[in-house]
Amino acid sequence: MRGFLIGLQFLTQLPIRTERADPRRIADSYYFYPVIGFLIGASAVLLRHILIVIFPLSFSITLVLGFLIWISGGLHEDGLADVADGMGGGWTRDERLNIMKDSRIGAFGASMLILILLAKYAALTSMSLARLDAAIVTAQILGRWAFLPMGYFNHYAREGLASEFMKGLTGRAVIVGTMISMGAVLLISTAQGGLASVVAAAIIVIASLYFRSRLGGVTGDCFGATFQFVEIATYAAFLT
């Protein structure tokens, strides 16, 4: 249970306070990442069902997307914007890392955020209602599962929150987290869930190779950007 609370504290902005965790407790939290993703997705689905009683689908989806940004403190969106600015504006590894560390958002970051939010809105509002809830939950599970292989199979590009996460990540946590994630996703939707899982794995591989070539490793922003791409790819899989 302690590991679960630490995971919630790390992945959400819920007002959870725990005693200072030792490395073993932090490592225990990694097993709960898919579970936390499921709970966030289920909460978003519950919110959608409440809102749809009052508002049209399009406005309900807008509020659900707002909830998903709020629950994670906007960390994943911030990561995507920083990566877009760094890759778009930096010519060398050091330039890219410095731009990504800058708290200000640039033209590339703002444009990418607008595009990704429009893509999510378009996908969810045009999706069959029979698949909508499954897509939302699956995206949240796979997005947080992606942190595990992404962190285990890459080096960190600089010291920071991501490097602390990666240092404690074990192969056992990746295997168990993958089994939980894939099992849950396939139970939710065998066909689209399976397709989304394959696409998510491909995105992790492509993102890892790209970040290695451009940054020499990954940072916390890279995790956020990868989450965003896995989420939108999952919605695309449920549109097929």
Side-chain angles (χ1 to χ4, degrees):
M1 181 57 71
R2 181 78 179 278
F4 174 69
L5 293 177
I6 293 171
L8 276 178
Q9 188 177 30
F10 184 76
L11 293 177
T12 74
Q13 65 165 359
L14 296 176
I16 296 171
R17 296 290 179 267
T18 62
E19 297 177 7
R20 184 175 179 82
D22 56 64
R24 185 177 67 83
R25 294 291 187 184
I26 295 174
D28 289 343
S29 72
Y30 302 150
Y31 297 98
F32 293 99
Y33 278 27
V35 177
I36 294 170
F38 171 80
L39 293 175
I40 291 173
S43 299
V45 166
L46 176 61
L47 177 62
R48 185 189 78 79
H49 282 276
I50 294 172
L51 292 172
I52 202 67
V53 175
I54 308 169
F55 303 114
L57 176 64
S58 57
F59 188 62
S60 299
I61 291 297
T62 301
L63 295 180
V64 167
L65 290 174
F67 165 78
L68 290 173
I69 294 172
W70 170 82
I71 194 68
S72 63
L75 283 177
H76 310 316
E77 288 74 21
D78 179 69
L80 176 66
D82 286 342
V83 166
D85 281 332
M87 300 307 165
W91 290 96
T92 67
R93 172 185 180 275
D94 289 339
E95 284 181 356
R96 295 178 193 116
L97 287 172
N98 287 333
I99 292 173
M100 289 166 64
K101 199 172 183 179
D102 192 333
S103 60
R104 295 170 296 182
I105 187 171
F108 287 108
S111 299
M112 183 61 76
L113 279 179
I114 292 171
L115 287 172
I116 205 78
L117 288 172
L118 284 174
K120 291 180 186 180
Y121 176 82
L124 293 176
T125 53
S126 58
M127 190 178 296
S128 165
L129 289 177
R131 294 182 176 181
L132 185 54
D133 292 346
I136 292 172
V137 176
T138 299
Q140 300 309 308
I141 294 173
L142 291 178
R144 286 163 181 85
W145 162 74
F147 296 158
L148 302 179
M150 187 87 174
Y152 184 74
F153 292 107
N154 288 290
H155 299 291
Y156 45 89
R158 65 181 172 211
E159 291 286 344
L161 187 61
S163 66
E164 292 304 310
F165 162 75
M166 294 167 72
K167 288 175 184 176
L169 194 54
T170 65
R172 184 171 184 270
V174 175
I175 293 171
V176 173
T178 299
M179 291 174 64
I180 294 172
S181 300
M182 297 306 114
V185 165
L186 292 176
L187 281 174
I188 292 170
S189 176
T190 302
Q192 277 70 38
L195 175 60
S197 300
V198 172
V199 174
I203 288 173
I204 293 169
V205 172
I206 294 169
S208 296
L209 294 174
Y210 179 77
F211 292 134
R212 286 180 193 178
S213 68
R214 304 286 280 181
L215 301 173
V218 298
T219 69
D221 290 330
C222 299
F223 285 96
T226 303
F227 175 95
Q228 293 293 318
F229 291 129
V230 168
E231 183 181 7
I232 194 64
T234 300
Y235 296 150
F238 276 80
L239 284 171
T240 60

